[in-house]
Amino acid sequence: MTPSTYDKALELNLDPAVYGTFAEIGAGQETANWFFRASGTAGLMAKTISAYDMTMSDAIYGRANRYVSESRLVAMLDHEYGILIERLGPKRGAETTFFSFCNTVRARGYKDSGECHGWIGIRYQLKPGDPPSDIIAHVRLLDDSTMKQMEALGAIGVNLIHAAFRQKGHLRNFVESLLDNLSTDRVEVDLLKFSGHGYGFVDNRLCALQLVESGLTEAAMILPSGEVVQPAEALYKRPVILLRGSFNPVTNLHMAMLDHAGEAFETLLDDAARSREVELCEISVHNLLRGDGMDPVDFIDRADALQALGKTVLVSSCAEFHRIAAFLNRCTREPIGIVLSIGLLNELFKPKWSENLAGGLLESFGRLFKDGVTLLVFPWKNRKSGELVTVENFHAPADSAKLYEYFLETRRILGVEPGDESLLALTGRDVQQLINAGDATWRDHVPQAAQPVIERHARG
């Protein structure tokens, strides 16, 4: 059975080897409060602080451009852990695993309807005397009331501390325990990363994948450097162009789709926005399923290939186009372009994508185009007839023909120039078959920078 938040707090209070400090700003001292409710608090807690006044906070942690940010959280961890080790290390460092837990949060305020979120983290030792290890997470608080948000924040704080000491070495258990005694309609965790002494072996891209696979968030984001980032922060006030695909493997066709779609997308942007757009290559978890679960090695190989090409990777659970559009619209208010092929455009008119919506097809497209999303559609060549199918000669289903004409007239759907039509000769599936067959001509269809990754994957 899942232990209660109280039980977790009590267990840690009674562990003589664990001792640390708490610093919480923005929603009360809700995590520390759980340890006060349980017996034996003095066995765990050296100090708790909440510096709400900006002047006081700056005096302790230094000035900040943003007070609810990862950089502010790290400054808090630096200060609190440094004092803890300096003052208590000589006295009890030989038998104690020290920790400092910190959070900086924007919770629901008086007459406030803004986004409620925060950064939480723990710096701690894996065993007495070890150099520190860090675990940092970004959370979104989804409850409507301040009291509910505070309650959720306290629970996830206890869960993070407990998981740090009790779920070492098992990523899935660690991730899923973060929502013990909570639910995904109350809290979203869209970033989790490990660093420091004990986590040199951890690939935080797998943390991103696990968050999505376990349902703690709809999507997670990875920069070309491999760094995991919080999507809303990375995409804030930036136009987005997104290509959906399996990227198994990434091909020259994918790159051409992005390049030519980018040219069409720029016609929708003002001068200031044109230098700020972000390209995303989205891999759906549905494309990573192997047997009963995800294939993490396959995911890392696909991410490596895209990153070698300088692309930002978004891993998501959003099968429906309107869901990924809603996610992106939550991250930015700038224009969004979704790149797809004629084949996928045809899929959007099929009932399966709107069967769970009361308004059916109209609601599906209404949600998709609600906030300025544009579909940038790449041509397809009919292998039998040789005909190039574009948005102009594409035939939507008869009962949707007028609707499709409306989307063209209002520029919700834009055609993309194909450029070199020879790229349309093979699909990604065709290229994968060449790779599987050991046919070296696959290299003609894959960007050079991605080829070493694909060769490594092919060797197994």
Side-chain angles (χ1 to χ4, degrees), residues 50-321:
S50 189
Y52 273 82
D53 182 85
M54 188 178 298
T55 302
M56 295 290 289
S57 183
D58 286 349
I60 299 170
Y61 304 118
R63 293 182 62 84
N65 293 324
R66 297 174 61 196
Y67 286 86
V68 181
S69 65
E70 182 179 3
S71 61
R72 186 57 162 184
L73 175 68
V74 171
M76 295 170 70
L77 290 169
D78 287 344
H79 179 85
E80 297 298 338
Y81 187 82
I83 288 179
L84 180 67
I85 296 299
E86 176 188 340
R87 296 181 179 174
L88 297 182
K91 178 181 179 180
R92 53 182 298 174
E95 68 277 354
T96 301
T97 48
F98 289 115
F99 76 91
S100 289
F101 171 84
C102 299
N103 67 38
T104 174
V105 179
R106 184 191 190 281
R108 180 73 63 223
Y110 180 64
K111 293 185 177 179
D112 175 22
S113 59
E115 175 84 357
C116 297
H117 69 105
W119 293 86
I120 66 174
I122 182 171
R123 179 166 294 174
Y124 74 115
Q125 298 171 318
L126 295 178
K127 64 179 187 297
D130 268 2
S133 302
D134 285 6
I135 306 173
I136 289 175
H138 180 267
V139 301
R140 295 179 66 234
L141 304 173
L142 308 179
D143 287 309
D144 290 331
S145 74
T146 306
M147 292 299 293
K148 284 288 188 181
Q149 288 184 358
M150 293 168 70
E151 178 186 87
L153 184 64
I156 198 168
V158 173
N159 289 341
L160 178 65
I161 298 169
H162 190 270
F165 288 105
R166 301 294 186 256
Q167 297 292 353
K168 301 171 189 174
H170 199 298
L171 182 59
R172 178 188 290 274
N173 288 354
F174 186 106
V175 167
E176 295 182 354
S177 74
L178 292 178
L179 288 196
D180 283 354
N181 308 297
L182 292 167
S183 62
T184 54
D185 60 353
R186 298 192 65 191
V187 175
E188 177 185 351
V189 182
D190 58 9
L191 179 143
L192 175 68
K193 59 184 179 181
F194 299 77
S195 62
H197 167 74
Y199 296 116
F201 64 91
V202 172
D203 190 330
N204 283 312
R205 295 175 299 175
L206 293 178
C207 299
L209 176 64
Q210 192 63 61
L211 288 175
V212 177
E213 182 186 357
S214 295
L216 276 73
T217 187
E218 285 189 308
M221 189 170 166
I222 305 164
L223 296 180
S225 64
E227 180 186 1
V228 296
V229 292
Q230 200 264 324
E233 188 170 273
L235 301 179
Y236 181 65
K237 290 187 176 180
R238 302 187 71 177
V240 174
I241 182 167
L242 175 136
L243 174 62
R244 314 197 79 182
S246 67
F247 303 103
N248 185 31
V250 58
T251 66
N252 293 328
L253 177 60
H254 289 126
M255 297 302 100
M257 291 177 73
L258 272 175
D259 289 343
H260 294 296
E263 294 169 3
F265 186 58
E266 284 197 344
T267 66
L268 306 175
L269 307 179
D270 58 32
D271 290 340
R274 283 178 188 163
S275 61
R276 292 181 49 77
E277 62 261 47
V278 179
E279 283 186 351
L280 299 178
C281 293
E282 181 206 2
I283 302 174
S284 167
V285 293
H286 304 286
N287 286 319
L288 297 167
L289 289 172
R290 295 289 186 275
D292 295 329
M294 300 292 111
D295 183 338
V297 175
D298 185 24
F299 169 69
I300 292 298
D301 285 342
R302 297 192 211 188
D304 279 345
L306 289 167
Q307 289 168 220
L309 296 166
K311 303 305 179 185
T312 298
V313 175
L314 191 76
V315 55
S316 90
S317 61
C318 304
E320 299 87 353
F321 273 67

